[in-house]
Amino acid sequence: MTTPWWRHAAIYQIYVRSFADGDGDGTGDLAGVRARLPYLRELGVDALWFNPWYTSPMADAGYDVADYRDIDPLFGTLAEAEALITEAHGHGLRVLVDLVPNHCSDQHVWFQQALAAGPGSPERERFWFVPGKGVDGQLPPNDWNSYFGGPAWTRITEADGTPGPWYLHMFAPEQPDLNWEHPEVREEFEDVLRFWLDRGVDGFRIDVAHGLAKAPGLPDVGPDPDITDLPYQDCAPVHDIYRSWRKLLDTYDGERVFVGEVWLPSPEQFARYLRPDELHSAFNFDFLCCAWDALALRGVVDSTFAAHAPVQAPPTWVLSNHDTIRHVTRYGREDTSFDMGDKRLLDASDPVLGRRRGRAAALLTLALPGGVYVYQGDELGLPEVQDLPDALLQDPTFVRSGGIDRGRDGCRVPLPWKTTGTSLGFSAGDDTASAAAAPWLPQPAGWSALSVQAQEADPDSVLALYRTGLALRRELLVGLPESLTWVDAGPEVLVFDRGEGFRCVVNLGERPYELPAGATVLLASGELSGGVVPQDTTVWITR
Ligand code: GLC
């Protein structure tokens, strides 16, 4: 029996607004993606995960969904999405869509109905409308903070002008949390799952998968909360939701899957989402957050296997996504780790060092057993754009944190496709006389050299490394058991074997590492001097 595809898939994340713009308005869209499907096939990935493409006022770049069954006009139409799914399949690429069940948009018909229906109405029970504390209810119902900064509650004003209750929003005020204790919320999302499954999607990435259920009574967290026991995270009933979703999913043919965005402090909590009757896999944020340090990385790899083994889920490996600082920039810093709560967006980074380590990290992730995620632009070695002008920043975290957190726009800058043109080929027709609109975020000077066109002409480019790495991975590694054997090489070098003949060497230390005599080099992230692996270099060899 062959292993199911999702246990070893290479999944490419498409942030639609920044991938490719087919209609020349400066924002990426489905037409742009459809035109680039051959590029994705050639890259050698197995599946595509699309960030939310649904109708949305875009208060949080589409994570505020107003209609789960339609496409935002900025990106295209439902008919185009259907065509895209079919065409992707034609290229041998599976399609995962982003499901956002924790909250919807404040423009969603349910929230609008809830506001209009008034106090005590059944329409309000689909959300968390709660009277405030203090005299006249002027204080929020509890002490929870939004992940985007500020209180997690906003007070409404009733139609007659009187101050009303507060509603819960763990993210922006435009993203009211849904009440998952309400049967209609459950029914609605099962229907949304069917809607997209019936259109052929191969699975879902579940946004904030750990957050849907809330603790009874919405208790205060207090001044010094236990982060493994928060009343808005990892509450037990969340698992019932996924069990019932899984039953639904399994009625469809063709190995469809759930991938969870599960940010939790303990591996034990995390693994519970991956029990055989819940989600199939989840992003490995411990690995993404880990410093570029051999012992730390080995520790995370080991704890990843230890967490996944009891539930028999495949590990996954991810370096960057649309919420984090691009790894090329992180790895060029003095502190190479990532912390969601403390992004240190402006810390200085050595671009040469970051690029070198980024290449080495790429081959490490591609060699590890399990699934791997490639965030658009990883394959071009794009850095974080750290100098976007304040006036152009769009991420709500910037404003909500009072400008302290510069937000996530720096990893969302439109891709450079060509060496020339006003948007480096991002927008169709950008080198014609009737030049296309400027991209929604400006691309830095110097990105021409990082464009797909420039890199396709260079056999040593990051793009070439990814293409060869993904092809070799498919050829040599995908059929192997989901395990590795460490070979001891001291505290600064990671060496592991897979199968009979494959070895991966990552040298993170200053001391050059000598390859075993007779080793054949399959692929290296940087130049080798003879049989010696220099610092910040990964090599794949056959033993
Ligand atoms: C997830 C998404 C992020 C979004 C948030 C709220 O963390 O990845 O982009 O802002 O959920 O939906």
Side-chain angles (χ1 to χ4, degrees), residues 174-255:
E174 296 87 349
Q175 295 167 294
D177 276 50
L178 287 155
N179 172 7
W180 274 88
E181 289 168 19
H182 200 300
E184 281 171 26
V185 173
R186 289 203 173 213
E187 281 159 27
E188 168 67 2
F189 275 88
E190 300 209 347
D191 198 62
V192 169
L193 288 173
R194 280 190 218 98
F195 180 89
W196 289 101
L197 289 165
D198 290 342
R199 277 163 183 74
V201 304
D202 301 280
F204 302 86
R205 176 263 190 194
I206 301 160
D207 190 57
V208 202
H210 51 279
L212 278 49
K214 311 293 189 286
L218 312 179
D220 282 343
V221 293
D224 187 20
D226 171 1
I227 57 160
T228 64
D229 189 20
L230 293 169
Y232 48 80
Q233 242 175 231
D234 194 38
C235 297
V238 77
H239 295 288
D240 299 337
I241 300 170
Y242 299 135
R243 285 197 193 99
S244 87
W245 286 11
R246 181 63 180 262
K247 282 202 195 97
L248 186 163
L249 191 83
D250 288 347
T251 63
Y252 282 80
D253 60 358
E255 297 183 346

Side-chain angles (χ1 to χ4, degrees), residues 351-428:
V352 176
L353 183 64
R355 258 201 304 278
R356 182 178 180 88
R357 290 177 173 169
R359 293 175 64 105
L363 287 198
L364 167 61
T365 58
L366 295 179
L368 287 166
V372 67
Y373 285 85
V374 178
Y375 174 44
Q376 67 180 41
D378 282 1
E379 81 281 20
L380 304 176
L382 295 188
E384 184 81 6
V385 182
Q386 293 178 279
D387 58 358
L388 290 168
D390 288 6
L392 296 183
L393 296 179
Q394 302 207 9
D395 184 0
T397 58
F398 177 63
V399 171
R400 286 189 61 81
S401 69
I404 292 169
D405 181 342
R406 291 187 58 78
R408 301 162 293 180
D409 292 307
C411 64
R412 300 174 175 181
V413 173
L415 293 193
W417 290 92
K418 295 188 312 188
T419 54
T420 56
T422 49
S423 66
L424 301 174
F426 169 68
S427 292

